[in-house]
């Protein structure tokens, strides 16, 4: 099969002129979809779905069939590579991820294994192939992984945390241990992204959910170098989208880290981001996912507002500022996607 390198999404990431921005959503596959719930029940749980390439492909394709997004993000999770490194990992209903033996010492960190994704995460490669087989060639297939600071946060806290007290203790009190951990995680992330690119992912996303909680100084010193390392390992194997949730204060640094795309959340003005950095990177975002909890008319209004503010300038991928909430009405996801797809070409027939 020949690969389509000129999809709408890839052209937007190259900042070429396009008739309308491509659109996809973080967590577009998931619990808000009844068909996802059905597969999850049949599989017997979230991890079982991730490990089964056919089921992972099926839930990846579900939102594409229903809504027609321009990109499909492989159904998987950022925490799976931690399991490959030797950590126990569970997903408990209602509690999210749990790592029952968190890393707290130099010995814990040194016991982690180096991974070879083509062996340890081969099921991810198989799921990418199975997904591609079910996708139209206009739809861009995305791979992803967690950024080192976010992975460290789960590995050291043992799950989702509000204060991140343990990872900060390690970072400030045992900088050498923290650095060894981050160096290992950067290799894991970079290799996993490169592996996904080699198995058909046409662009890759580096998710940094927690580094935005750091001060700019700490972000630059303790998180950014390792994200940059992961991105460097990918190199030009696939265009890279770098997302730091709550990262408005470090946007200069994220842009400078080196990626083709930067995803931003709803706390920043995306038109302003494009005006400031649009000659260097494409931007993805940035509707607040909470807007999808309102009525479809609100979704249409707020989506149009973003499209109008960007005004058809090249280098925009439409998306949410974070993942779809599980309480979301699928009709609101449809309203979002349909509004973007109905957007008039730049400058032609725009009402405002
Ligand atoms: O559709 C997609 O976006 C692709 C699949 C995807 C999942 N997780 C599936 C998932 C992606 C890209 C992720 C990334 C991920 N996972 C991140 C980074 C992005 C972000 O959301 O900030 C993080 C921090 C995780 C870790 C994680 N996995 C958490 C905190 C949770 C619990 C969240 C919740 O809403 O309960 C998960 C579980 C998870 N990953 C679910 C899904 C669909 C829910 C699983 C279920 O119970 O069915």
């Amino acid at each position: 099969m020949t690969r389509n390198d000129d999809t709408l999404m890839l052209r937007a990431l190259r900042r070429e002129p396009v008739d309308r921005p491509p659109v996809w959503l973080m967590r577009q596959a998931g619990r808000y979809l009844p068909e996802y719930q059905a597969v999850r029940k049949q599989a017997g749980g979230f991890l079982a779905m991730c490990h089964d390439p056919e089921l992972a492909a099926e839930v990846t394709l579900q939102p594409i069939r229903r809504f027609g997004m321009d990109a499909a993000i492989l159904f998987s999770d950022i925490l799976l590579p931690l399991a490959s490194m030797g950590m126990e990992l569970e997903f408990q209903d209602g509690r999210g991820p749990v790592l029952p033996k968190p890393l707290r010492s130099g010995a814990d960190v040194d016991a982690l294994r180096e991974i070879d994704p083509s062996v340890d995460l081969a099921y991810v490669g198989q799921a990418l192939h199975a997904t591609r087989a079910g996708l139209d060639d206009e739809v861009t297939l995305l791979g992803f992984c967690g950024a080192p600071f976010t992975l460290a946060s789960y590995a050291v806290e043992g799950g989702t945390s509000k204060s991140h007290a343990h990872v900060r203790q390690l970072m400030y009190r045992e900088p050498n241990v923290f650095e060894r951990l981050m160096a290992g995680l950067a290799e894991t992330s970079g290799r996993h992204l490169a592996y996904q690119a080699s198995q058909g992912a046409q662009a890759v996303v580096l998710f940094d959910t927690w580094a935005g909680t750091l001060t700019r100084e700490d972000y630059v010193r303790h998180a950014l170098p390792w994200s940059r390392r992961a991105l460097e390992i990918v190199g030009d194997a696939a265009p890279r989208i770098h997302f730091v949730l709550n990262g408005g204060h470090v946007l200069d640094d994220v842009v400078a880290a080196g990626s083709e795309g930067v995803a931003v959340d709803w706390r920043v003005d995306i038109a302003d981001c494009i005006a400031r950095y649009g000659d260097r990177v494409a931007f993805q975002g940035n509707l607040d996912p909470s807007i999808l909890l309102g009525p479809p008319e609100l979704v249409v209004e707020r989506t149009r507002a973003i499209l109008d503010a960007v005004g058809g300038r090249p280098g925009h991928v439409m998306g949410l500022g974070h993942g779809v909430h599980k309480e979301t009405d699928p009709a609101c996801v449809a309203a979002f996607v349909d509004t973007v797809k109905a957007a008039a070409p730049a400058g032609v027939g725009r009402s405002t």
Side-chain angles (χ1 to χ4, degrees):
M1 186 173 32
T2 56
R3 184 160 131 169
N4 183 358
D5 291 327
D6 288 314
T7 62
L8 190 59
M9 173 85 183
L10 292 175
R11 283 187 288 140
L13 285 174
R14 293 196 296 260
R15 290 174 280 129
E16 294 171 10
V18 287
D19 284 348
R20 62 159 177 91
V23 58
W24 71 280
L25 297 78
M26 296 185 201
R27 294 274 171 94
Q28 62 192 18
R31 285 165 298 183
Y32 74 102
L33 285 178
E35 57 268 39
Y36 169 87
Q37 300 281 13
V39 174
R40 189 180 192 280
K41 205 167 158 198
Q42 180 202 328
F46 172 69
L47 275 179
M49 281 164 88
C50 293
H51 282 113
D52 182 321
E54 292 302 324
L55 294 183
E58 168 57 23
V59 291
T60 303
L61 294 169
Q62 285 174 345
I64 310 299
R65 283 189 206 116
R66 196 195 255 250
F67 307 107
M69 290 91 171
D70 298 300
I73 183 160
L74 182 71
F75 187 82
S76 189
D77 199 82
I78 62 163
L79 301 178
L80 293 167
L82 292 179
S84 301
M85 293 174 88
M87 295 195 74
E88 283 176 34
L89 171 66
E90 298 161 10
F91 283 85
Q92 299 175 357
D93 275 348
R95 263 192 75 189
V98 176
L99 298 114
K101 294 181 187 150
L103 309 177
R104 296 284 162 81
S105 69
D108 292 343
V109 169
D110 295 337
L112 292 174
R113 281 198 298 268
E114 249 191 53
I115 66 160
D116 174 353
S118 69
V119 176
D120 302 311
L121 293 158
Y123 60 91
V124 172
Q126 289 158 11
L128 284 165
H129 290 284
T131 305
R132 184 75 263 174
L135 278 180
D136 189 279
D137 86 337
E138 290 301 319
V139 181
T140 307
L141 181 56
L142 306 179
F144 70 91
C145 78
F149 186 80
T150 289
L151 293 180
S153 152
Y154 283 99
V156 177
E157 300 296 331
T160 306
S161 157
K162 278 215 166 78
S163 65
H164 301 101
H166 295 290
V167 73
R168 278 148 186 274
Q169 261 165 352
L170 195 72
M171 189 172 97
Y172 295 127
R173 288 174 182 246
E174 300 201 63
N176 295 332
V177 174
F178 179 77
E179 285 213 352
R180 289 212 298 283
L181 172 60
M182 294 296 275
L185 293 172
E187 291 303 308
T188 293
S189 295
R191 286 181 199 177
H192 190 34
L193 291 178
Y195 172 63
Q196 292 173 77
S198 77
Q199 300 302 304
Q202 293 164 287
V204 292
V205 190
L206 185 69
F207 284 108
D208 211 344
T209 308
W210 298 120
T213 61
L214 298 169
T215 64
R216 183 173 182 193
E217 183 188 353
D218 282 334
Y219 176 76
V220 168
R221 188 185 299 185
H222 296 294
L224 179 70
W226 309 109
S227 293
R228 185 186 292 124
R229 170 76 189 133
L231 293 167
E232 274 168 10
I233 294 173
V234 183
D236 60 8
R240 301 156 293 187
I241 301 171
H242 188 178
F243 174 57
V244 180
L245 178 68
N246 222 332
H249 61 308
V250 294
L251 195 54
D252 264 353
D253 311 302
V254 173
V255 169
S259 63
E260 288 62 38
V262 168
V264 289
D265 73 20
W266 60 93
R267 297 168 182 92
V268 298
D269 178 337
I270 193 164
D272 180 50
C273 294
I274 295 174
R276 278 160 63 200
Y277 307 104
D279 55 338
R280 293 157 70 187
V281 292
F283 277 91
Q284 176 180 294
N286 68 339
L287 188 74
D288 179 354
S290 298
I291 297 296
L292 301 190
L293 300 172
E297 307 79 68
L298 180 73
V299 176
V300 172
E301 180 194 317
R302 298 295 180 92
T303 304
R304 280 196 186 137
I306 293 173
L307 293 170
D308 287 342
V310 172
R313 272 171 288 181
H316 181 216
V317 174
M318 190 63 168
L320 302 180
H322 200 194
V324 179
H325 295 296
K326 65 176 188 299
E327 298 82 1
T328 301
D329 178 351
C332 289
V333 173
F336 178 60
V337 174
D338 292 348
T339 302
V340 182
K341 289 185 131 182
V348 184
R350 277 189 179 272
S351 54
T352 49

